[in-house]
Amino acid sequence: MAAEFVAKSLEIKGIVQGVGFRPFVYQLANKYSLKGEVANTSSGVSISIEGTRESIESFCGDLADKTPPLAYITKISVNSEPLEGFKNFSIVKSREQSFISTLISPDVSICDDCLRELFDPDDRRYQYPFINCTNCGPRYTIIDNIPYDRPNTSMKHFKMCKKCQAEYDDPEDRRFHAQPNACAKCGPHVALYDNTKREIPCRNPVDRASSFLKQGYIVAIKGLGGFHLAVDAENSDAVALLRRRKNREEKPLAIMSYDIDRIRKFAYVEPEEEVLLTSSQRPIVILKKKEPNSISEEVSPRNRYFGTMIPYTPLHYIILRHDFTALVMTSGNISEEPIAIDNEDAFERLSAIADFFLIHNRDIYLRSDDSIVKRTAGATRIVRRSRGYVPIPVFLKKKVPQILACGGGLKSTACLTKDNQAFLSQHIGDLENLATYDFFKLTINHMKRILDIDPEIIAYDLHPDYLSTRYAQKQVNIKKIQVQHHHAHVVSCMAENMLEGQVIGLSFDGTGFGTDGCIWGGEVLIAEVGAFKRAAHLSYVPMPGSESAIKEPWRMAVSYLYDAFGDKLWDLDLPVLREIDKKNLKIIVDMISKRINSPYTSSLGRLFDGIAAIIGIRNRVSFEGQAAMELEMLAGEETQATYDYEWLYEGLYKIALKPIIQGVTKDVEHGVRPSEISAKFHLTLIHLFSELCDVLRDERDINRIVLSGGVFQNSILLAGLITSLEAKGFVVFSHKKVTANDGGISLGQAMVAAAVAGK
Ligand code: ZN
Ligand code: ZN
Ligand code: FE
């Protein structure tokens, strides 16, 4: 019996253009002897196929399972059609002119095929630092407009040579319609300069730069999403010099190593971490240090981890192939400013830091920092969502209006929504200087353009002084909705987990403006997307000197001690009190007792800082969260012990800090090791909040817990609370797609605004 022929039409949505999808379909159709055609449309890709029922089924199976690495399918719809009698399978010209609603691919690390060619002396692109194909290379950072075609990218300045053009035109070639396609003959080039902007004449600038790195020099390297500052990670003098010149005292520096084998010399790599390291996103993965190791202590001082990545551009591969165990590859910026992307700008801003500049002439249109991830509690947690991930949207449960959400103040991102998609921007940084604010505005305009979004609603934080708030307030002809910071945290986690209805939200961070004008940060909310009620919080204590108390945790220590001991504070025998000048101490106690420039805070981040200072870890920090992080790093031993804790009911639960502070103080006075105190403190929080959730469940009959806020970057707390709450039968949701820190709140703001506007 002859097999029956049928005809089907398929509509594919998602990231399916500019990622080698049509050649993939073409090859698949030939594999199963199907006839028909494939074309780009305004909403994705459409396919017509004819063949036997079985082969069409196999075709559809492969379509979903074997998609090219950069493609990301969100929907396949299949319809039966009458037979047309196609003679072959072909890629046909686009049926429509507009490509507006398709998704743009993030930047993607070099693929295995290109990597092989890169180091093949017989290949015409041997050691060519800009080799790429439809499966790899720059995307988001080189696009200026849509559709994603070469004239709309920074490759428009390079006319393809005959060979490149032939590849570009051939549907069976790996480089069919690869917009950044280039070779040494026709494409971008690297050049080496000194820091007085004089070109260093040499045959091979990359090799020369590598030898400078070997000699301990600092080299600014232009990458995919911006400049890096590189030094040999094994050379302590060089790393120390970089820190000094960059004005970056202690914050860990990211390192790049050629491959997993080299990383294993200095860090442990679990199988899931290996998958992350080698993924096409190539994030920085936070890996546990091996001790001893040959990496300079200066790279990540007082920290148990190294932020490590492997090369993601051909240029990185060529450099790292020289025998470096690892290179420090930190963002090319001065302290908190945005990373440099432009050659001129880099010379201007980085010549006091870098000795040499390895630059190239392919422009970066939009900067994108390296992303950072880590594994905690059996899942991948995103610490910074940027290159490689952006602009893949977070898919939402329902369609929402077009909204622009402006984020917060620190680690900010913006978010634009359209249909059931939320597009978070790349990491923008701390909105505390003009350069970052300009980058914030530029990113919003850029995203509006390439995503074709014209927001009707703008969502922003309650904090009156955030630059993001001021930006939002200045906009005209747009509906404005203010969103409380900790509500936004909880809702961002609800959004990525597609939750609706009520949840108990634990929203823990350093700073967020409360509805009462106080600084919140240790909040338990009864939340739904459109509204929340505060159910519990850490008791308020004054923050003496306001912002200064963030930089000087000893001030918080004094505030907690005063709260717990009152004037008996002066009798305590604690290193933090001995180390601070008596006069200074007196001033701070006065500020606290008289509430001079001392706003109230319920922040859990500050409590971590205060405990760190009380047990003598540090009195001052060089970056936000440093003391808290070191307190976590210190937590050594297994412990079953906790400090006493209690809460009072005054319309809502107020968690008293006095018993915890008294317990910690007693331990310090009795010489208990800081590692034990830290472990006990962590366990106290885990017990305290699990019990509190139990109480709230009984009262309100809510069994779902959502964990969000920057404090959940603390792995001990995150893993401990998940375990403890799940043991009590709660269903616990945490962040996996966006960050728990303030980088995620723009998503929450957008969702809250959508719900509020829809009421
Ligand atoms: Zn490739
Ligand atoms: Zn060429
Ligand atoms: Fe926050």
Side-chain angles (χ1 to χ4, degrees):
M1 196 177 80
E4 184 201 356
F5 268 57
V6 293
K8 301 269 180 198
S9 68
L10 283 76
E11 297 294 329
I12 323 276
K13 287 186 177 176
I15 302 178
V16 287
Q17 292 184 6
V19 291
F21 200 80
R22 286 172 302 163
F24 158 71
V25 171
Y26 176 88
Q27 280 153 24
L28 214 56
N30 285 336
K31 178 179 165 191
Y32 291 111
S33 312
L34 299 172
K35 314 278 187 250
E37 58 187 33
V38 56
N40 281 342
T41 68
S42 64
S43 60
V45 162
S46 90
I47 305 169
S48 302
I49 36 167
E50 297 181 4
T52 63
R53 205 173 286 280
E54 293 82 58
S55 41
I56 288 181
E57 258 166 40
S58 311
F59 172 87
C60 291
D62 280 8
L63 203 61
D65 295 342
K66 296 184 178 159
T67 39
L70 299 199
Y72 187 87
I73 296 177
T74 59
K75 195 175 173 195
I76 303 181
S77 34
V78 186
N79 281 305
S80 292
E81 302 288 342
L83 283 167
E84 273 187 52
F86 287 104
K87 295 281 172 286
N88 55 11
F89 194 91
S90 57
I91 298 176
V92 294
K93 263 214 155 25
S94 305
R95 287 174 191 158
E96 294 152 63
Q97 279 310 301
S98 92
F99 290 79
I100 278 168
S101 57
T102 54
L103 300 173
I104 290 163
S105 160
D107 301 297
V108 184
S109 68
I110 180 170
C111 72
D112 291 344
D113 291 329
C114 287
L115 191 56
R116 203 177 335 98
E117 290 177 358
L118 181 66
F119 291 124
D120 173 2
D122 294 329
D123 192 273
R124 73 185 188 93
R125 290 188 181 86
Y126 177 60
Q127 300 223 340
Y128 178 57
F130 303 94
I131 186 171
N132 68 79
C133 71
T134 12
N135 297 327
C136 74
R139 296 288 186 278
Y140 182 59
T141 51
I142 61 163
I143 297 172
D144 190 40
N145 211 334
I146 42 173
Y148 173 58
D149 276 333
R150 193 154 168 129
N152 283 329
T153 71
S154 62
M155 286 303 293
K156 67 182 169 206
H157 307 294
F158 304 96
K159 190 178 169 353
M160 276 183 275
C161 67
K162 270 201 180 124
K163 280 183 180 165
C164 288
Q165 186 70 49
E167 295 165 337
Y168 183 91
D169 292 334
D170 177 3
E172 296 208 50
D173 194 279
R174 219 174 80 231
R175 296 190 167 91
F176 176 65
H177 281 204
Q179 305 303 346
N181 190 28
C183 72
K185 202 174 154 201
C186 66
H189 278 102
V190 292
L192 186 64
Y193 283 74
D194 68 15
N195 58 5
T196 65
K197 237 166 115 175
R198 259 197 303 258
E199 184 164 2
I200 295 173
C202 53
R203 220 175 46 88
N204 191 331
V206 185
D207 282 356
R208 192 65 182 277
S210 300
S211 77
F212 283 138
L213 285 164
K214 265 279 157 232
Q215 293 166 53
Y217 288 108
I218 300 170
V219 182
I221 301 172
K222 187 173 179 181
L224 195 59
F227 274 81
H228 281 117
L229 289 160
V231 283
D232 182 351
E234 292 183 308
N235 184 333
S236 279
D237 292 340
V239 182
L241 184 67
L242 172 64
R243 278 200 183 278
R244 238 182 358 263
R245 288 190 186 165
K246 201 183 169 207
N247 195 10
R248 179 156 160 152
E249 291 165 40
E250 288 160 311
K251 205 171 181 178
L253 299 166
I255 52 182
M256 184 183 272
S257 211
Y258 186 74
D259 58 16
I260 304 288
D261 284 346
R262 286 198 208 174
I263 294 175
R264 287 217 162 92
K265 290 181 183 168
F266 56 84
Y268 297 95
V269 184
E270 299 297 326
E272 299 86 357
E273 292 165 339
E274 182 168 346
V275 171
L276 288 168
L277 283 164
T278 55
S279 71
S280 68
Q281 289 87 0
R282 291 285 206 281
I284 294 168
V285 183
I286 298 180
L287 301 174
K288 196 150 195 278
K289 284 181 184 174
K290 269 185 189 164
E291 298 286 3
N293 63 67
S294 65
I295 303 296
S296 160
E297 180 56 33
E298 298 278 340
V299 168
S300 175
R302 300 210 223 188
N303 198 304
R304 290 185 181 168
Y305 301 87
F306 283 126
T308 313
M309 57 186 151
I310 65 172
Y312 51 88
T313 69
L315 179 59
H316 295 149
Y317 267 105
I318 303 170
I319 297 170
L320 266 296
R321 215 156 132 98
H322 293 79
D323 60 340
F324 298 105
T325 302
L327 285 178
V328 165
M329 289 286 265
T330 186
S331 320
N333 57 5
I334 312 163
S335 51
E336 299 307 323
E337 286 188 1
I339 178 170
I341 53 173
D342 177 84
N343 293 341
E344 284 306 311
D345 177 43
F347 279 121
E348 205 167 287
R349 283 160 63 202
L350 305 179
S351 56
I353 305 175
D355 302 301
F356 297 99
F357 287 75
L358 186 61
I359 65 171
H360 61 70
N361 56 344
R362 186 179 69 198
D363 289 338
I364 300 169
Y365 283 150
L366 199 60
R367 59 170 64 76
S368 197
D369 289 81
D370 294 318
S371 295
I372 308 175
V373 304
K374 67 173 180 181
R375 294 282 306 176
T376 306
T380 300
R381 313 290 171 174
I382 299 192
V383 179
R384 183 160 81 194
R385 187 179 184 274
S386 214
R387 176 191 49 77
Y389 297 93
V390 173
I392 291 180
V394 173
F395 291 96
L396 308 169
K397 188 156 186 182
K398 307 197 272 224
K399 283 192 178 187
V400 294
Q402 299 199 350
I403 300 169
L404 165 63
C406 301
L410 301 177
K411 300 183 170 74
S412 57
T413 64
C415 177
L416 281 157
T417 58
K418 183 180 190 174
D419 300 330
N420 66 332
Q421 298 159 350
F423 299 91
L424 280 105
S425 74
Q426 71 278 31
H427 167 79
I428 293 171
D430 297 348
L431 275 178
E432 292 185 323
N433 55 60
L434 202 60
T436 311
Y437 184 54
D438 286 342
F439 175 37
F440 167 79
K441 289 187 289 188
L442 184 133
T443 300
I444 289 173
N445 290 332
H446 194 101
M447 286 179 70
K448 274 161 70 172
R449 188 165 67 243
I450 62 169
L451 299 167
D452 190 40
I453 293 176
D454 182 18
E456 54 189 271
I457 299 168
I458 191 163
Y460 58 104
D461 197 86
L462 282 185
H463 201 303
D465 299 329
Y466 280 166
L467 286 176
S468 56
T469 302
R470 300 221 184 119
Y471 169 84
Q473 282 167 341
K474 265 189 249 162
Q475 306 307 307
V476 289
N477 299 328
I478 190 162
K479 190 178 166 86
K480 293 171 189 166
I481 297 178
Q482 274 190 300
V483 180
Q484 201 281 324
H485 189 100
H486 300 92
H487 184 210
H489 269 308
V490 171
V491 175
S492 79
C493 188
M494 292 176 74
E496 67 157 271
N497 287 290
M498 296 198 178
L499 301 182
E500 286 178 325
Q502 282 199 325
V503 299
I504 299 173
L506 304 191
S507 199
F508 297 163
D509 66 359
T511 305
F513 201 81
T515 50
D516 58 359
C518 295
I519 298 166
W520 293 9
E523 313 305 312
V524 182
L525 309 179
I526 304 298
E528 54 192 282
V529 177
F532 77 97
K533 211 172 158 276
R534 208 176 182 199
H537 65 88
L538 297 188
S539 290
Y540 284 133
V541 297
M543 242 173 109
S546 195
E547 294 283 297
S548 323
I550 299 175
K551 296 189 183 82
E552 299 179 16
W554 69 269
R555 292 174 182 243
M556 287 314 300
V558 174
S559 187
Y560 291 117
L561 291 168
Y562 189 79
D563 177 67
F565 297 98
D567 284 331
K568 293 210 178 71
L569 160 98
W570 300 103
D571 307 331
L572 298 171
D573 182 27
L574 294 172
V576 61
L577 299 177
R578 285 196 300 270
E579 280 163 25
I580 305 298
D581 180 74
K582 274 276 162 322
K583 231 168 64 198
N584 257 343
L585 208 54
K586 181 88 181 46
I587 295 171
I588 295 302
V589 172
D590 264 2
M591 284 173 78
I592 294 166
S593 58
K594 297 183 184 136
R595 296 278 329 277
I596 304 162
N597 188 22
S598 300
Y600 274 136
T601 187
S602 56
S603 161
L604 185 55
R606 294 291 85 75
L607 181 62
F608 267 88
D609 283 356
I611 301 281
I614 292 172
I615 67 179
I617 296 178
R618 62 167 57 245
N619 289 336
R620 286 181 176 76
V621 295
S622 62
F623 60 94
E624 209 241 342
Q626 183 182 13
M629 200 181 79
E630 289 179 7
L631 187 62
E632 177 192 352
M633 296 300 152
L634 202 66
E637 29 251 283
E638 290 286 314
T639 181
Q640 301 299 322
T642 63
Y643 296 108
D644 292 338
Y645 50 85
E646 63 183 20
W647 49 72
L648 306 166
Y649 186 78
E650 290 174 11
L652 77 178
Y653 294 101
K654 293 183 181 169
I655 299 155
L657 303 171
K658 194 169 167 173
I660 299 175
I661 299 296
Q662 286 179 339
V664 170
T665 304
K666 205 168 116 198
D667 274 356
V668 176
E669 287 185 327
H670 289 169
V672 176
R673 279 189 312 278
S675 56
E676 196 179 328
I677 299 177
S678 172
K680 238 170 115 173
F681 172 65
H682 280 89
L683 193 64
T684 305
L685 294 178
I686 292 163
H687 282 207
L688 187 164
F689 285 107
S690 322
E691 251 176 65
L692 192 57
C693 287
D694 238 347
V695 171
L696 292 172
R697 172 166 59 184
D698 287 348
E699 286 176 10
R700 302 182 184 253
D701 202 24
I702 305 172
N703 196 44
R704 296 183 302 173
I705 310 266
V706 165
L707 308 177
S708 188
V711 169
F712 283 107
Q713 278 167 207
N714 180 313
S715 302
I716 302 173
L717 193 65
L718 177 62
L721 264 175
I722 291 174
T723 308
S724 162
L725 289 165
E726 286 180 347
K728 287 178 184 293
F730 285 104
V731 186
V732 185
F733 298 90
S734 53
H735 284 283
K736 288 169 192 160
K737 294 185 183 135
V738 302
T739 73
N741 65 36
D742 285 6
I745 68 166
S746 59
L747 172 62
Q749 289 173 340
M751 294 303 98
V752 173
V756 169
K759 272 182 187 168

